[in-house]
């Protein structure tokens, strides 16, 4: 997968698969899979660091995780998320952040929102760095939204998202993540853009899908928003394995003779 393949996939009507990845060992596993794209999302602030929102991700944090993922997944297309306010502090700091993510191993950067930052986006693209947009529920604006809520439910909001989608395409973005919008809006945006859309909670008409790895693996059994499908019972599997190991240690069943040095 490279930047040109995204457009080709949309033209060919072939969906793009993307999943988040934040660390070396899961990157090693994902590198062996068929997945098209890895997203080092700023959701790592929540999933890996336990914060209550993505607002806590920093450029250093993102670059550290991108580098770990690149070491584990040398063959995959890696998307690096520009963290909270990193494109809102002027061109210099924005370009420093882009440089940090690209030098850490990203193939492109992803930027949430459109208003007030289209020029920065265009400048990054002109500088030779591919940019993926992100509209709908943009989690860095969670405080402004009053929570993690579906966006674009009424006609005015839907029209605004559609207009913003056209603007990020105009700014040079090569793809667009659409998060938590009604399926019909996901379809409209996808049909009206030339660039591919990648949805999360945006219905089945987008040109691809993205999920948080830990969510789709069921690492938090209780986390099951409407758009999420659990592909494994990860929380149960890990807890059972660790309990099994614990019992073996307590009972003296581990290690066995075959697991000892002579
Ligand atoms: O940070 C992230 O994981 C994301 C996805 C939810 C699209 O941006």
């Amino acid at each position: 997968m490279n930047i040109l393949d995204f457009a080709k996939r949309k033209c060919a009507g072939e969906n793009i698969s993307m999943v988040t990845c934040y660390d070396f060992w899961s990157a090693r596993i994902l590198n062996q899979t068929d997945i098209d794209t890895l997203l080092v999302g700023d959701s790592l602030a929540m999933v890996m660091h336990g914060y209550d929102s993505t607002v806590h991700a920093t450029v250093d944090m993102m670059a550290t995780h991108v580098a770990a993922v690149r070491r584990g997944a040398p063959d995959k297309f890696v998307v690096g998320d520009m963290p909270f306010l990193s494109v809102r502090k002027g061109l210099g700091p924005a370009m420093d952040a882009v440089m940090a993510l690209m030098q850490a191993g990203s193939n492109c950067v992803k930027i949430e929102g459109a208003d007030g930052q289209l020029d920065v986006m265009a400048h990054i693209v002109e500088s030779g760095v591919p940019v993926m947009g992100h509209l709908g529920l943009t989690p860095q604006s969670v405080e402004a939204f009053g929570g993690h809520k579906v966006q674009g439910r009424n006609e005015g909001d839907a029209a605004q998202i559609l207009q913003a989608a056209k603007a990020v395409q105009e700014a040079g973005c090569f793809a667009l993540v659409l998060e938590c919008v009604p399926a019909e809006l996901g379809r409209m945006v996808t049909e009206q853009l030339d660039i591919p859309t990648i949805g999360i909670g945006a219905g089945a008409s987008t040109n691809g899908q993205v999920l948080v790895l830990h969510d789709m693996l069921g690492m938090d059994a209780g986390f099951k928003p409407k758009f999420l499908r659990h592909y494994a019972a990860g929380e149960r599997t890990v807890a059972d394995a660790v309990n099994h190991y614990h019992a073996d240690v307590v009972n003296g069943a581990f290690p066995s003779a075959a697991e000892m040095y002579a």
Side-chain angles (χ1 to χ4, degrees):
M1 195 79 177
N2 67 44
I3 186 79
L4 305 175
D5 294 318
F6 283 82
K8 283 188 201 154
R9 289 287 197 90
K10 177 160 179 144
C11 284
E14 292 167 7
N15 285 343
I16 299 161
S17 66
M18 180 157 84
V19 73
T20 63
C21 183
Y22 314 123
D23 59 75
F24 174 76
W25 75 270
S26 51
R28 265 192 67 238
I29 297 172
L30 295 178
N31 198 51
Q32 303 162 37
T33 70
D34 297 331
I35 197 84
D36 291 320
T37 310
L38 304 182
L39 168 63
V40 185
D42 59 356
S43 51
L44 63 80
M46 301 170 79
V47 179
M48 301 299 282
H49 295 269
Y51 289 110
D52 63 356
S53 81
T54 61
V55 161
H56 301 276
T58 65
V59 173
D60 283 351
M61 205 188 259
M62 295 306 303
T64 300
H65 286 276
V66 167
V69 168
R70 176 49 77 208
R71 286 191 287 270
D75 307 323
K76 293 294 182 187
F77 188 91
V78 171
V79 181
D81 242 351
M82 290 282 279
F84 184 58
L85 297 186
S86 59
V87 288
R88 309 295 298 206
K89 293 188 280 187
L91 205 50
M95 295 312 287
D96 286 344
V98 170
M99 193 162 90
L101 296 193
M102 295 303 285
Q103 289 183 340
S106 285
N107 295 107
C108 73
V109 296
K110 177 164 79 59
I111 298 176
E112 288 187 14
D115 283 354
Q117 56 199 41
L118 292 165
D119 287 351
V120 184
M121 281 173 152
H123 182 82
I124 297 169
V125 174
E126 277 170 22
S127 307
V129 175
V131 177
M132 181 179 279
H134 183 162
L135 295 172
L137 171 56
T138 45
Q140 290 169 17
S141 306
V142 63
E143 295 300 337
F145 291 144
H148 291 97
K149 296 188 169 123
V150 176
Q151 301 296 304
R153 275 204 191 278
N154 66 52
E155 225 173 278
D157 290 349
Q160 222 168 12
I161 290 172
L162 183 56
Q163 196 183 0
K166 289 177 179 169
V168 302
Q169 172 173 281
E170 189 64 26
C173 286
F174 72 97
L176 174 67
V177 167
L178 266 183
E179 180 165 352
C180 286
V181 297
E184 176 57 15
L185 179 57
R187 188 191 61 75
M188 267 170 55
V189 173
T190 301
E191 279 181 9
Q192 295 194 32
L193 291 192
D194 298 323
I195 59 173
T197 56
I198 301 179
I200 172 165
S205 303
T206 51
N207 304 119
Q209 298 289 332
V210 55
L211 285 176
V212 169
L213 178 68
H214 299 69
D215 294 348
M216 56 94 82
L217 292 180
M219 300 308 286
D220 178 352
F223 184 66
K224 186 68 181 67
K226 191 175 172 67
F227 66 80
L228 177 62
R229 185 181 298 178
H230 284 164
Y231 283 86
E235 182 173 354
R236 194 64 270 147
T237 303
V238 172
D240 285 351
V242 172
N243 280 335
H244 192 173
Y245 164 67
H246 168 79
D248 283 354
V249 170
V250 169
N251 301 335
F254 176 83
S256 68
E259 290 156 336
M260 296 179 201
Y261 294 110

